[in-house]
Amino acid sequence: MEQNLYNKKYYNTNYPGLEGEIEIKDFNTYTTNKNCTSNQADAQNFHKKLDKINKEKYLENKYKNMSIEELRQIKVISNTDGRPPKGLTNNKWQSEFNIRKLFIHPYGNETTKLGGKYSREAGTWNGRPDKSYIGCTNWQSYCSFINDILKNIRSGQTDYCYYIYQIMHLAKFHKETLKTRYCDGYWEVWLESPSQPTSARPGTIMFNGGTKC
């Protein structure tokens, strides 16, 4: 009997001059108000996101005041700039990458390629007065490798890196837009475009029959 009173509409619920319409279900204690429940869930999610953002800001400010060596000592980042350490996962790498980017000094807009002194092939390189080296140096080969990757990712492709220092060199050119994904021994790298979700990847360049991770 009492429940039937709540389910029947005994009065006009239209109130001119007020936003929306008050319904009898808004006062029903027998059923859940879905709108109210949804608002409560949204509020809880908002506070969780806010707490996460505040925590990330706190850690960012804390890490900025530390050196790379200090971060390695407390195992926040890998103890290497070379090959990936054992046990590295993509989630761990994303956290480490964000921390490493705090210490990057990006190149200016006028610098579009990795270069500098001895970066171009000169035919011969005089290493000693009595001998000469014919061909490109290791640094020249490395510059060519990085510049090829820059060319590919700028054209909308996904390319590969195999050492951490390679990724950090790329980040000097595209600190905010460089995206990476660790794939059990190597990294996929690409550039995020404004019209493309962060999780989406452009076309992938395949080498030697490799597979996507």
Side-chain angles (χ1 to χ4, degrees), residues 44-187:
Q44 292 175 352
N45 291 333
F46 172 77
H47 286 296
K48 288 180 180 179
K49 291 179 180 179
L50 187 61
D51 289 341
K52 182 180 179 181
I53 292 174
N54 290 334
K55 182 179 180 180
E56 290 175 350
K57 285 290 183 182
Y58 167 77
L59 291 176
E60 179 178 326
N61 292 329
K62 177 182 178 182
Y63 295 150
K64 279 182 178 179
N65 295 320
M66 301 176 69
S67 67
I68 290 290
E69 290 304 321
E70 288 173 330
L71 292 173
R72 284 173 174 164
Q73 289 177 4
I74 63 174
K75 298 183 179 180
V76 172
I77 64 174
S78 305
N79 193 30
T80 178
D81 289 328
R83 292 289 295 149
K86 185 178 181 180
L88 183 65
T89 64
N90 183 54
N91 287 337
K92 290 180 180 178
W93 165 250
Q94 296 303 330
S95 177
E96 177 173 338
F97 185 45
N98 288 332
I99 295 172
R100 284 179 174 269
K101 286 195 294 185
L102 297 175
F103 299 89
I104 286 180
H105 299 287
Y107 294 126
N109 294 332
E110 68 281 358
T111 304
T112 59
K113 294 182 178 181
L114 183 63
K117 195 175 182 180
Y118 308 122
S119 62
R120 297 182 179 179
E121 294 187 29
T124 61
W125 171 70
N126 294 321
R128 294 174 55 183
D130 58 334
K131 292 184 178 181
S132 63
Y133 170 77
I134 300 177
C136 62
T137 64
N138 288 338
W139 174 244
Q140 290 168 350
S141 297
Y142 179 72
C143 287
S144 178
F145 173 77
I146 293 296
N147 290 333
D148 282 345
I149 294 179
L150 287 171
K151 180 181 178 181
N152 290 332
I153 61 179
R154 286 168 180 166
S155 68
Q157 299 294 322
T158 297
D159 215 321
Y160 302 99
C161 286
Y162 304 92
Y163 296 88
I164 293 175
Y165 63 79
Q166 295 171 347
I167 297 175
M168 305 321 295
H169 258 132
L170 296 175
K172 288 186 176 182
F173 293 92
H174 299 282
K175 181 178 179 180
E176 302 301 330
T177 56
L178 179 66
K179 300 301 174 182
T180 65
R181 179 178 283 106
Y182 180 66
C183 300
D184 193 22
Y186 66 95
W187 289 266

